[in-house]
Amino acid sequence: CSCTMDPLLDDEELPFSQAARFHSSEDVMNEPPFMMEGTLPPSGGYGEGSSRSKVFNDPVHKHIRVSGLAVDIIDTPQFQRLRDLKQLGTSYMVFPGASHNRFEHSIGVGYLAEDTATRFYRNQRDELDMELADLKVASIAGLCHDLGHGPFSHVFDNEFLPVCLNKSTDEVEQIWTHEEMSTRLLDLIIDENHIDGIDEVDLKRIKNIITSSLGTNGYGGHNRKSFLSEIVANGRNGVDVDKFDYLVRDSKMCGVSIGWDADRLRSFMKVIDGEICFKASEYHNVFDMFGTRASLYRRIYTHKKAKAIEYMLVDALIAANPHLKIAEKINCPEDFTSLDDTIIRRIEYSSDYELRDARAIIQRLRKRDIYKYVNEFTVPSDQLKHWKPVTALDITTHQKGTSLRPEDIVVQNLKIDYAKGNKNPVDYVSFFQEYDSTTKFHIAEEKVSSMLPRVFLERKVRVFSKHSQDSIRKQVAEAFEEYQRKTFGTSAQVHATPQKPCRKRLRLGGESTFRSLFTNVDTLD
């Protein structure tokens, strides 16, 4: 490549011809022979927008170019807001490297969406009746799919809104989703910033792609191109470029190793009968993607310390809501853009008397005086189907005394699956035999391996104490263990209930501390 780029820069503007040459040459080197056939339009070749195309130096996808139209959208206040939304919410407070934001994830998904659509255009353009506008639609949908996230990402819609609205998570999704808000914010971006290059037809198609995983619409009447709806958010089986980006990006930034090859999987796909299908030899790679997702949920997304901090932030936001009217902002896109992770700073440094309780919680968090993890148990697989969520009242009613209140504890009913409940998600994926195949088929798991799991769902019940005192923590632990005995006939938790209060870590410094390290080694936890 003749381009020269400074790897230390966030992004670098290049002439269109140079950027396109760089992108296409790298693509061709990484693809199997069949992918090199056909005519390849330059990335972003639809050439619309008032800005010049731009190359971003991304830590995951390396140098990627976005079109001038995408740059027009990126350079707006509504999109720049994503810089202040942590991709992993409170996980950053546990994994120091997880400082990445929705901003870079969105750019990555936009790139992957356009790249995937370009591969189909190159190899199946006539068969699929594709045009350059389809690449634009896929790219902008991927770029804008997360515009509607609230503070700390899924904490806002999964934890905060259900409490504020006094509804279950499923009930909240009937009246508000971040996908729907993304489409409303896209309208706002186009109107307020006078974005050209997206007509009404393409805008409808983009919105339908963003909300396709909700199952509330088809593809705006373009059923022959329904495969475009599966690129960004695949409601059929969950194999989409959103996961291709966040699974790789999140694991990389958190320093967690994974064994799934996303680039290879993208190289072995084609469209048959309006559905994105994969080469049969990639069965295990597809399965590994879902396994990686479950693994990251277990190791990162539901980390017990991160969840403890999450519950503290939710309590702070709930305490501040009557004064700041946070929940009401979901009704207006203009108001919603004022919500991001900096709301915690605004509460922390406010002198408003009405925010005193919220400030107190945040001050505890700053001192790392977080809610205390007590214990957990795994729900037996034979009880998964009829298991009912455990409440704080269920725990407190099993205490020996009467001092423990439901508001003193938090119960997490944790569910981790492979994206399709207790079903094998690969059963919903279609495959093809050879690149010239015109038929698709499903592969029965017993034909692939006898070592695949038979259960694809696990439920855990965790309990946290909102108080840091060891005496209260012990009360919670004893009540939780008694609940298990009444429910299962025995204790089902992993860790034993502590018999004596936990001792705090020694603070290093001074001769007396140095001497105590060797005389009281057992005090370290």
Side-chain angles (χ1 to χ4, degrees):
C1 174
S2 60
C3 306
T4 58
M5 286 179 269
D6 185 347
L8 299 179
L9 297 178
D10 277 338
D11 52 76
E12 183 76 26
E13 294 185 87
L14 294 176
F16 179 88
S17 59
Q18 291 181 345
R21 261 202 314 274
F22 181 88
H23 174 87
S24 59
S25 63
E26 182 181 79
D27 261 359
V28 171
M29 286 191 299
N30 289 333
E31 292 171 349
F34 96 104
M35 296 297 292
M36 297 174 61
E37 300 173 1
T39 303
L40 170 66
S43 177
Y46 36 84
E48 300 178 24
S50 60
S51 300
R52 299 173 64 190
S53 61
K54 183 175 290 188
V55 171
F56 285 81
N57 187 359
D58 183 71
V60 174
H61 307 298
K62 306 307 178 185
H63 298 104
I64 59 178
R65 192 181 72 83
V66 298
S67 67
L69 177 59
V71 173
D72 287 345
I73 294 174
I74 292 171
D75 292 343
T76 62
Q78 294 82 6
F79 193 92
Q80 291 293 318
R81 164 182 169 271
L82 298 180
R83 291 183 184 270
D84 291 318
L85 291 177
K86 286 285 182 291
Q87 172 77 7
L88 297 185
T90 58
S91 295
Y92 172 56
M93 301 182 185
V94 177
F95 297 88
S99 58
H100 55 303
N101 305 308
R102 290 282 166 186
F103 179 84
E104 48 264 44
H105 166 64
S106 296
I107 292 176
V109 174
Y111 158 71
L112 291 179
E114 182 181 343
D115 180 75
T116 300
T118 299
R119 291 169 187 256
F120 296 146
Y121 181 94
R122 183 192 316 171
N123 294 283
Q124 298 180 268
R125 178 178 54 183
D126 295 336
E127 173 188 349
L128 302 176
D129 194 22
M130 291 187 70
E131 51 194 1
L132 288 177
D134 297 329
L135 311 188
K136 172 179 66 177
V137 166
S139 174
I140 302 304
L143 182 70
C144 299
H145 79 289
D146 271 352
L147 286 174
H149 271 295
F152 298 94
S153 295
H154 291 290
V155 174
F156 184 79
D157 41 357
N158 291 343
E159 302 291 347
F160 170 72
L161 284 182
V163 175
C164 282
L165 302 179
N166 193 28
K167 297 179 181 294
S168 68
T169 303
D170 291 340
E171 290 173 335
V172 169
E173 289 180 353
Q174 297 301 314
I175 60 175
W176 189 90
T177 64
H178 76 266
E179 292 91 350
E180 291 286 354
M181 180 55 73
S182 294
T183 64
R184 298 175 69 185
L185 287 174
L186 178 57
D187 284 332
L188 183 64
I189 286 176
I190 292 173
D191 293 340
E192 282 204 350
N193 301 280
H194 311 292
I195 303 295
D196 296 322
I198 304 178
D199 60 29
E200 289 298 323
V201 174
D202 286 344
L203 180 59
K204 182 177 180 179
R205 298 169 69 196
I206 291 169
K207 290 180 179 179
N208 283 340
I209 291 177
I210 292 174
T211 59
S212 61
S213 64
L214 301 177
T216 56
N217 53 58
Y219 187 66
H222 295 263
N223 292 325
R224 59 193 171 85
K225 296 183 180 180
S226 59
F227 67 91
L228 291 174
S229 300
E230 300 181 0
I231 293 177
V232 176
N234 193 336
R236 185 196 304 270
N237 52 47
V239 183
D240 50 51
V241 298
D242 183 28
K243 290 183 181 64
F244 289 1
D245 183 88
Y246 80 69
L247 293 178
V248 177
R249 189 178 302 276
D250 294 350
S251 60
K252 179 182 180 69
M253 303 308 290
C254 291
V256 174
S257 299
I258 59 175
W260 163 62
D261 193 339
D263 291 336
R264 178 179 174 86
L265 191 57
R266 289 196 301 119
S267 298
F268 293 94
M269 59 171 64
K270 66 177 296 184
V271 176
I272 301 178
D273 296 335
E275 179 183 356
I276 298 177
C277 306
F278 301 87
K279 199 169 186 297
S281 60
E282 295 304 298
Y283 182 98
H284 283 291
N285 200 11
V286 174
F287 189 87
D288 287 345
M289 187 205 75
F290 291 109
T292 295
R293 176 185 178 273
S295 176
L296 294 189
Y297 264 90
R298 190 177 296 110
R299 300 159 69 186
I300 299 176
Y301 307 148
T302 62
H303 190 284
K304 59 186 180 183
K305 294 287 187 181
K307 292 300 294 186
I309 296 171
E310 178 179 311
Y311 292 130
M312 293 187 74
L313 289 180
V314 170
D315 284 348
L317 293 176
I318 291 172
N321 185 61
H323 182 60
L324 298 181
K325 310 296 182 185
I326 301 171
E328 294 181 10
K329 298 183 187 298
I330 66 173
N331 300 314
C332 176
E334 290 85 354
D335 293 340
F336 188 80
T337 57
S338 67
L339 296 179
D340 55 41
D341 294 356
T342 63
I343 191 172
I344 296 300
R345 288 285 186 184
R346 282 179 267 165
I347 295 172
E348 184 177 11
Y349 291 106
S350 172
S351 58
D352 293 351
Y353 178 78
E354 294 83 356
L355 297 176
R356 65 191 183 283
D357 291 338
R359 278 197 301 272
I361 296 174
I362 297 173
Q363 288 168 2
R364 280 188 61 183
L365 180 58
R366 296 301 185 197
K367 297 176 181 178
R368 205 67 177 185
D369 180 19
I370 63 177
Y371 293 169
K372 303 301 181 183
Y373 166 81
V374 176
N375 222 317
E376 68 182 59
F377 68 80
T378 300
V379 178
S381 59
D382 60 347
Q383 298 188 31
L384 286 173
K385 186 175 182 179
H386 303 290
W387 183 259
K388 294 181 179 180
V390 180
T391 66
L393 183 61
D394 292 332
I395 307 302
T396 56
T397 53
H398 289 83
Q399 64 179 308
K400 294 180 180 179
T402 59
S403 59
L404 199 61
R405 304 167 301 168
E407 54 266 33
D408 294 327
I409 65 177
V410 179
V411 178
Q412 179 191 8
N413 290 279
L414 171 62
K415 184 188 80 168
I416 298 178
D417 60 23
Y418 277 52
K420 284 294 183 180
N422 200 12
K423 300 177 181 178
N424 183 352
V426 189
D427 289 345
Y428 296 83
V429 179
S430 293
F431 296 89
F432 60 89
Q433 197 65 49
E434 302 295 341
Y435 293 120
D436 57 358
S437 300
T438 58
T439 57
K440 61 183 181 181
F441 54 87
H442 296 284
I443 300 178
E445 59 185 71
E446 59 269 16
K447 292 183 177 181
V448 179
S449 174
S450 60
M451 297 179 64
L452 295 178
R454 293 295 179 262
V455 178
F456 296 89
L457 167 71
E458 70 177 26
R459 292 186 181 273
K460 292 179 181 290
V461 178
R462 287 175 175 168
V463 173
F464 299 82
S465 169
K466 292 188 177 182
H467 303 278
S468 55
Q469 295 95 323
D470 289 326
S471 58
I472 298 180
R473 186 179 179 184
K474 184 178 180 181
Q475 282 183 281
V476 176
E478 291 174 345
F480 185 46
E481 189 167 15
E482 183 62 23
Y483 166 81
Q484 296 169 58
R485 291 195 182 96
K486 291 291 180 66
T487 304
F488 304 114
T490 184
S491 175
Q493 62 194 27
V494 177
H495 311 290
T497 299
Q499 298 302 311
K500 58 182 179 180
C502 298
R503 298 177 182 175
K504 293 185 177 181
R505 292 183 177 88
L506 295 173
R507 295 191 177 276
L508 300 181
E511 181 181 350
S512 60
T513 301
F514 180 80
R515 189 163 46 244
S516 68
L517 286 174
F518 296 93
T519 59
N520 298 302
V521 175
D522 64 321
T523 62
L524 294 175
D525 58 334

